[in-house]
Amino acid sequence: MNLTCYFSLSRFLQLLKLEWSRSRKGILITFLITFGLLFTVFILESVFSYSKICNSHPSAYAFALLTAGFILSSLAFNDLGHSLRRHNYLMLPASTFEKFFSMWLLTCAGWIIAFTLVYILYSAGANALGHLFFSDRTYIAFSPVARIPVNAICYYLAIQGVFLVGAVHFRGFVFPKTILALLIFGMVCGIIFYFTMSDLFQTNPEFINEYSVLKNNALYKVWMMVRWMFRWLLAPLCWVITCLGLKEQEV
């Protein structure tokens, strides 16, 4: 088996350079809109908040990372939604894996690193301006290794692949279509889960409040298994489905 059929570093770097040159304007606009909205909310919080301690950076970081990142991910493989550009994209001299990996690098790992670095600079500048114009308030410095930012990154790594799947399989309006598909899927799974596991639910308040008993319940074990699958299996499964979807369209 010739591995260069699947991955060639020089070929991949050329593809990555091409994808970056085509998407950098959109990424720049996304950054400007995102941080413009974040700064507006920061100013409004400083003006109208009753608390003298402002510590909104962790939650703002999590919300912006997830929302803007998912929107960018839904715009990946945008050429597939246009007949002429779709043909040109599929005919690029690069393997399916290289096309997928370049998009994953830009919308997942690259987005997390770039957004985190820019947010650190933004939070430092916003706090400095806050101290300058609102000297009576205390602004907590942003820490990217705090619990909320780290959890946001973990959730992004787990869920982002779903939007890559949507970007490959949907034509136009990828973001709302993916959200709708997730809602329908969640409702169906919730209904199936409820009727399948309804006999395991306990209505006794003493049972529900007793954590040690709940841990030994079969429902708790099922929940732990689902959580483990969400953390470790969802993303790789979505990556495989994305690659297979690209492969099918090339054929």
Side-chain angles (χ1 to χ4, degrees):
M1 180 183 295
N2 189 0
L3 292 180
T4 57
C5 294
Y6 299 96
F7 186 82
S8 170
L9 182 59
S10 59
R11 192 172 59 201
F12 171 74
L13 292 177
Q14 289 295 326
L15 177 63
L16 187 62
K17 181 180 178 180
L18 174 64
E19 295 292 359
W20 166 248
S21 64
R22 296 169 60 186
S23 59
R24 59 186 178 186
K25 290 184 179 179
I27 295 175
L28 178 60
I29 293 174
T30 302
F31 270 106
L32 292 176
I33 295 175
T34 300
F35 285 97
L37 292 174
L38 288 175
F39 187 69
T40 301
V41 173
F42 177 82
I43 295 298
L44 292 176
E45 180 193 20
S46 300
V47 173
F48 297 106
S49 177
Y50 292 103
S51 175
K52 297 298 182 180
I53 300 178
C54 298
N55 188 28
S56 61
H57 285 309
S59 56
Y61 169 87
F63 177 80
L65 174 76
L66 296 174
T67 304
F70 291 157
I71 293 175
L72 280 179
S73 298
S74 67
L75 296 176
F77 310 109
N78 191 44
D79 289 346
L80 297 178
H82 305 82
S83 57
L84 182 59
R85 288 190 292 174
R86 177 176 181 272
H87 177 76
N88 292 335
Y89 179 78
L90 294 177
M91 293 298 293
L92 284 175
S95 67
T96 302
F97 176 76
E98 289 167 344
K99 294 175 182 177
F100 159 76
F101 189 52
S102 64
M103 281 299 180
W104 179 88
L105 200 60
L106 289 173
T107 61
C108 189
W111 169 252
I112 292 174
I113 296 172
F115 183 82
T116 302
L117 293 176
V118 174
Y119 196 93
I120 292 173
L121 298 176
Y122 155 78
S123 62
N127 285 354
L129 291 176
H131 286 299
L132 179 63
F133 292 103
F134 306 96
S135 57
D136 59 328
R137 299 186 183 277
T138 301
Y139 296 91
I140 306 300
F142 171 71
S143 174
V145 295
R147 180 178 61 86
I148 293 179
V150 171
N151 286 340
I153 292 175
C154 292
Y155 282 117
Y156 185 79
L157 289 171
I159 303 174
Q160 185 262 349
V162 176
F163 291 88
L164 290 181
V165 173
V168 169
H169 291 87
F170 292 139
R171 297 291 178 269
F173 304 101
V174 174
F175 184 74
K177 287 181 179 179
T178 305
I179 294 295
L180 179 61
L182 288 175
L183 291 176
I184 296 175
F185 179 76
M187 291 175 60
V188 172
C189 289
I191 294 173
I192 295 175
F193 179 80
Y194 175 79
F195 285 105
T196 303
M197 308 296 293
S198 59
D199 58 325
L200 297 177
F201 286 98
Q202 301 293 329
T203 57
N204 188 348
E206 295 181 358
F207 173 83
I208 296 176
N209 294 327
E210 186 62 40
Y211 180 73
S212 61
V213 177
L214 185 61
K215 286 185 65 175
N216 296 324
N217 185 260
L219 182 61
Y220 177 82
K221 297 178 181 178
V222 171
W223 166 248
M224 293 301 295
M225 181 182 68
V226 171
R227 190 171 70 169
W228 182 87
M229 293 174 63
F230 171 80
R231 288 182 175 180
W232 302 106
L233 294 183
L234 177 61
L237 178 62
C238 290
W239 299 339
V240 171
I241 294 175
T242 302
C243 286
L244 293 177
L246 278 174
K247 189 68 175 179
E248 290 177 358
Q249 297 196 45
E250 289 179 348
V251 174

